[in-house]
């Protein structure tokens, strides 16, 4: 909304919710995103050799005002095939707790297939598609990491605590994956025949 970040602004963290495309700007972040042996080892066990990092985000939830990220599947934001070719890595920079907005997931939800998304507060799963689900919090200590497939329904609640919650998130795809057209993706990522992605709805 026209805000230009100023590193000397003491309230900078209260004005930025998300920052993207930063990994190549700092040697430490570049190492974490592209070279860290522990991260690469897990990614290769899930995606095969040479995973491709294609999106980086820093996610900020300031005390008391950090907003909810509604339920969604990350694959709804992309057009990558096959659907099991994306893994997200979510790294806590602060202690992430249920009170300050840690990740919540639906265990096994990645097996349900694509769930229709629409634009309300955000691009999110349409009401009624996740009724009576088991929402499991995933608290993490600083430096802790969570790895999850792009089909896993997940969300983060608002930060209702006095503690900030910052995280890094990277998305990787397998070497044999492809980015396809919207029309091709609509035919693959659909909910009972209805195109289900953010771009489709």
């Amino acid at each position: 909304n026209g805000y230009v970040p100023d590193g000397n602004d003491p309230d900078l963290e209260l004005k930025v919710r998300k920052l993207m495309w930063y990994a190549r700007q700092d040697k430490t972040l570049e190492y974490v995103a592209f070279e860290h042996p522990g991260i690469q080892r897990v990614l290769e066990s899930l995606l095969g050799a040479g995973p491709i990092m294609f999106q980086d985000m820093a996610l900020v939830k300031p005390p008391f005002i950090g907003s909810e990220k509604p339920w969604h599947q990350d694959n709804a934001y992309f057009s990558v095939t096959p659907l099991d070719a994306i893994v997200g890595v979510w790294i806590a920079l602060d202690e992430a707790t249920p009170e300050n907005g840690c990740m919540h997931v639906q265990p096994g939800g990645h097996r349900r297939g694509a769930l229709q998304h629409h634009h309300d507060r955000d691009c999110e799963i349409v009401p009624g598609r996740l009724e009576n689900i088991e929402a499991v919090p995933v608290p993490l200590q600083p430096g802790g990491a969570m790895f999850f497939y792009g089909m896993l329904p997940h969300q983060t609640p608002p930060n209702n605590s006095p503690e900030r919650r910052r995280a890094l998130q990277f998305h990787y795809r397998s070497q044999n994956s492809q980015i396809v057209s919207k029309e091709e993706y609509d035919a693959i990522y659909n909910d009972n025949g209805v195109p289900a992605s953010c771009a489709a709805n």
Side-chain angles (χ1 to χ4, degrees):
N1 294 337
Y3 176 67
V4 178
D6 177 355
N8 297 316
D9 183 349
D11 296 323
L12 175 62
E13 191 175 322
L14 302 178
K15 298 172 182 173
V16 177
R17 178 176 177 264
K18 181 187 297 182
L19 176 69
M20 298 179 70
W21 315 123
Y22 58 82
R24 294 286 189 190
Q25 307 304 313
D26 178 88
K27 292 296 183 186
T28 299
L29 294 171
E30 191 171 39
Y31 171 77
V32 171
F34 298 99
E35 302 172 30
H36 189 284
I39 293 173
Q40 293 299 312
R41 186 164 52 248
V42 175
L43 287 171
E44 290 189 359
S45 75
L46 297 170
L47 295 176
I52 301 165
M53 198 280 281
F54 70 99
Q55 186 188 68
D56 54 317
M57 297 186 289
L59 306 169
V60 181
K61 284 188 190 286
F64 299 118
I65 63 171
S67 59
E68 174 190 17
K69 175 68 176 179
W71 284 98
H72 65 284
Q73 295 168 306
D74 287 346
N75 280 19
Y77 287 85
F78 308 124
S79 55
V80 172
T81 63
L83 294 180
D84 63 355
I86 290 179
V87 167
V89 181
W90 198 93
I91 302 171
L93 298 180
D94 304 300
E95 183 178 6
T97 68
E99 294 73 31
N100 73 2
C102 73
M103 188 76 77
H104 286 63
V105 303
Q106 181 194 12
H110 62 290
R111 299 188 188 98
R112 295 185 56 186
L115 300 172
Q116 188 176 1
H117 288 64
H118 72 145
H119 293 273
D120 187 11
R121 294 163 294 169
D122 204 330
C123 177
E124 59 190 273
I125 295 170
V126 299
R129 294 300 284 123
L130 287 178
E131 288 181 350
N132 303 315
I133 67 163
E134 179 187 12
V136 176
V138 185
L140 291 172
Q141 292 296 312
M146 173 186 164
F147 294 75
F148 58 100
Y149 278 113
M151 294 297 285
L152 180 71
H154 61 285
Q155 65 96 231
T156 61
N159 185 352
N160 294 318
S161 83
E163 306 299 327
R164 67 185 182 185
R165 195 236 65 191
R166 299 169 301 165
L168 302 179
Q169 182 167 284
F170 304 102
H171 282 105
Y172 299 83
R173 61 186 180 93
S174 64
Q175 280 281 356
N176 65 354
S177 64
Q178 293 183 333
I179 298 174
V180 298
S181 70
K182 178 185 180 302
E183 292 72 26
E184 290 174 286
Y185 200 60
D186 284 349
I188 296 165
Y189 186 81
N190 68 78
D191 188 350
N192 295 313
V194 177
S197 75
C198 298
N201 296 286

